[in-house]
Amino acid sequence: MTEKIESIRNAPIGVFDSGVGGLTVAREIIRQMPDEGIIYFGDTARVPYGNKSKDTITRYSRQIIRFLKTRQVKAIVIACNTASAYALEEVKKDLDIPILGVIRAGAVSAVKATQNGKVGIIGTEGTIRSGIYETVIKEMMPSARVSGKACPLLVPLVEEGLLHDSVTDEIASRYLSELKAKYVDTLVLGCTHYPLLRSTIKRLMGEDVTLINPAYETAIELKALLEKEDLICCPGVCQPQEKYQFYVSDLAEKFTNFASSILPQQVKETKKIDIENY
């Protein structure tokens, strides 16, 4: 029985996203819990998720979760705001392991940070359309004035690696001007791709606006959850060569190069799988 418990504790954490954005969550998990192993899946064949329906996103999420379960993960993080908004509550019903999304942790931090009660949310069309951030924030702070702005072009710009580019600057400026006009003092980066544009967004919004990175907050929440469930990995168990494993549905080489620029260590290999088989 003890060996079985040890085996579960030492199993990896499953993390998935529509593409490379969830690497910001994986990066924070690595920083906060360096002993934990990670199985990451990026759905690069079907990115972006933000312009797709709830039914489609839920179907995609179920396929990915079935794949991650074949890798014997002990917990799953939906490192995608759109999938967290649309699919988390549905897929949670089917699972016998802990699963969490990226929205609640970000919302909690926004409520703690705001001084004037005006909170901005930037995200994909799907996340903003769902109204999930406003719902969660108002549960905790009914007086909050929440303004959402869909920024659909930012994900493809990040996926193309245009993190410091005049085109990205111009498009981000157009999106953010609406929220600046509403005098928000707190801005939630409501898509896991957006922390990769943090310096640009900070410069455009100004020093007086607090940026909330749900990727960081989610890693903290995950650590607390694993401690509560007695699922923290034993130190030194994961072998370095197999500690972090990466899978995608397309463009493995491109993903590998991008991931190596984001994560603390070089990603040597990314495996392509046919997610439609799951």
Side-chain angles (χ1 to χ4, degrees), residues 107-108 110-112 114 116-119 133-147:
V108 169
V111 168
K112 289 178 180 176
T114 185
N116 67 6
K118 296 177 181 178
V119 178
Y133 270 106
E134 181 172 8
T135 299
V136 177
I137 288 171
K138 282 185 170 290
E139 282 175 2
M140 295 178 279
M141 188 180 188
S143 63
R145 283 169 283 180
V146 182
S147 302

Side-chain angles (χ1 to χ4, degrees), residues 118-131:
K118 296 177 181 178
V119 178
I121 313 291
I122 52 174
T124 65
E125 291 172 349
T127 299
I128 300 303
R129 194 186 315 122
S130 75

Side-chain angles (χ1 to χ4, degrees), residues 4-19:
K4 185 177 180 182
I5 293 171
E6 287 290 306
S7 175
I8 294 170
R9 280 186 191 143
N10 298 331
I13 298 160
V15 179
F16 78 87
D17 179 50
S18 61

Side-chain angles (χ1 to χ4, degrees), residues 6-45:
E6 287 290 306
S7 175
I8 294 170
R9 280 186 191 143
N10 298 331
I13 298 160
V15 179
F16 78 87
D17 179 50
S18 61
V20 302
L23 290 169
T24 61
V25 178
R27 179 173 63 186
E28 295 299 339
I29 293 172
I30 291 168
R31 286 173 176 166
Q32 299 297 326
M33 292 172 283
D35 291 316
E36 298 290 346
I38 293 173
I39 305 286
Y40 183 97
F41 179 80
D43 199 0
T44 46

Side-chain angles (χ1 to χ4, degrees), residues 145-162:
R145 283 169 283 180
V146 182
S147 302
K149 177 63 180 175
C151 306
L153 293 176
L154 294 186
V155 168
L157 287 168
V158 169
E159 293 278 337
E160 287 300 317
L162 300 174

Side-chain angles (χ1 to χ4, degrees), residues 56-73:
T56 296
I57 298 302
T58 302
R59 178 170 66 83
Y60 288 177
S61 298
R62 284 198 166 110
Q63 288 176 323
I64 297 165
I65 288 167
R66 282 194 286 269
F67 163 68
L68 291 174
K69 290 275 281 182
T70 69
R71 311 303 299 172
Q72 279 77 51
V73 297

